Amino acid sequence: MRSALFSAENLEKESAQPGMRLQNSKMLKVELNGECMARVGSMVAYQGQVQFQALGSGGLGKFLKQKLTGEGVPLMKVSGRGDVFLADLASDVHLIDLEPGDALSINGSSVLAFDSTLQYDIKMVQGMGMASSAGLFNCVFSGQGRIAVTTKGTPVVLNVDQPTYVDPQAAVCWSAGLQTGYHRAEQLGLGTLFGRRTGEAFTMSFAGQGFVVVQPSEEPPVLGSGQQQSGGGVLGGLFD
């Protein structure tokens, strides 16, 4: 049988070391010998003896915050020995290695998987104005380990060396040490009263020293009680 489908670039990539690595730009391979955490529903294939256990948003306290805020990561624990392939609607996958002392704030919708050695919590974004419909909460990761994040398209990594503003639905992740706030980008006037809007009512502001990762796509807002909006969401191949 002959086909370009069976070319070397599409064959499964093997490694002698356990852990996360890219199978290709849109698929993560986890060579499992123990456990890791992954987004619920992200498994597309696996080989070997592997078990999947749903964890909600990572414990009772985080689960309650997720229910109240609409933010968080619906997680499953993946354990055993084998190869697990993860993806999210053909989004681009990037690997970030956190070292001791690092902390990364990330939009929960961009989290694909992470090592169980990492600590994870949901925290309020400071400076959020209640008039905005963007999310109040984001996920903060710290400790030592690897995390896989997804972006809709090829991102840009902005160095925050001057006041920086990002659409809340396009912000993927940022240095947890940055000061965040929300800035009214749209000028109020007579046109606003007649329903003329730019679609850019609020942007997220960043100050300090660090970086912000921005994707070329805006996550669609989900409105309602317990509304969810993407608020943002060292280091590995994403910054190469």
Side-chain angles (χ1 to χ4, degrees):
M1 187 177 297
R2 298 179 181 177
S3 172
L5 175 64
F6 305 116
S7 62
E9 65 183 27
N10 291 336
L11 296 180
E12 179 182 354
K13 293 178 172 58
E14 302 287 355
S15 173
Q17 297 295 323
M20 299 181 194
R21 53 192 45 83
L22 295 181
Q23 172 64 29
N24 54 52
S25 65
K26 299 182 184 299
M27 189 178 296
L28 178 71
K29 179 182 180 182
V30 183
E31 298 190 19
L32 193 65
N33 184 15
E35 67 178 39
C36 74
M37 304 297 179
R39 170 175 292 278
V40 165
S42 61
M43 185 274 293
V44 295
Y46 73 92
Q47 297 175 305
Q49 302 299 316
V50 180
Q51 295 80 43
F52 302 88
Q53 178 186 0
L55 296 177
S57 289
L60 180 60
K62 299 186 184 72
F63 177 77
L64 291 176
K65 279 194 282 188
Q66 192 272 342
K67 287 298 185 183
L68 290 172
T69 66
E71 288 291 337
V73 185
L75 293 176
M76 60 182 179
K77 181 169 71 173
V78 184
S79 58
R81 292 177 59 89
D83 297 331
V84 182
F85 297 87
L86 305 173
D88 181 21
L89 299 175
S91 298
D92 293 331
V93 182
H94 310 271
L95 297 176
I96 301 175
D97 292 311
L98 295 183
E99 302 294 342
D102 291 336
L104 184 68
S105 186
I106 181 170
N107 179 347
S109 66
S110 296
V111 176
L112 181 61
F114 58 94
D115 289 337
S116 58
T117 56
L118 289 174
Q119 289 78 55
Y120 155 66
D121 199 4
I122 301 171
K123 295 187 178 180
M124 178 177 289
V125 176
Q126 298 301 314
M128 171 62 193
M130 292 305 295
S132 171
S133 60
L136 285 166
F137 295 82
N138 283 277
C139 308
V140 179
F141 289 86
S142 60
Q144 184 169 14
R146 176 166 283 189
I147 182 171
V149 301
T150 58
T151 64
K152 305 296 192 297
T154 303
V156 60
V157 180
L158 301 179
N159 181 33
V160 181
D161 53 4
Q162 57 184 319
T164 301
Y165 305 92
V166 179
D167 186 296
Q169 283 80 53
V172 175
C173 59
W174 62 88
S175 304
L178 289 175
Q179 293 81 54
T180 60
Y182 277 79
H183 171 74
R184 180 179 289 278
E186 185 176 67
Q187 298 299 312
L188 298 178
L190 186 61
T192 306
L193 297 177
F194 286 96
R196 299 172 189 166
R197 307 301 297 268
T198 66
E200 308 295 345
F202 288 88
T203 59
M204 194 171 179
S205 65
F206 298 89
Q209 295 295 319
F211 63 86
V212 182
V213 178
V214 183
Q215 64 183 0
S217 176
E218 298 180 11
E219 294 287 346
V222 180
L223 303 179
S225 60
Q227 70 177 26
Q228 179 171 349
Q229 290 270 359
S230 304
V234 186
L235 287 151
L238 181 57
F239 303 97
D240 292 341

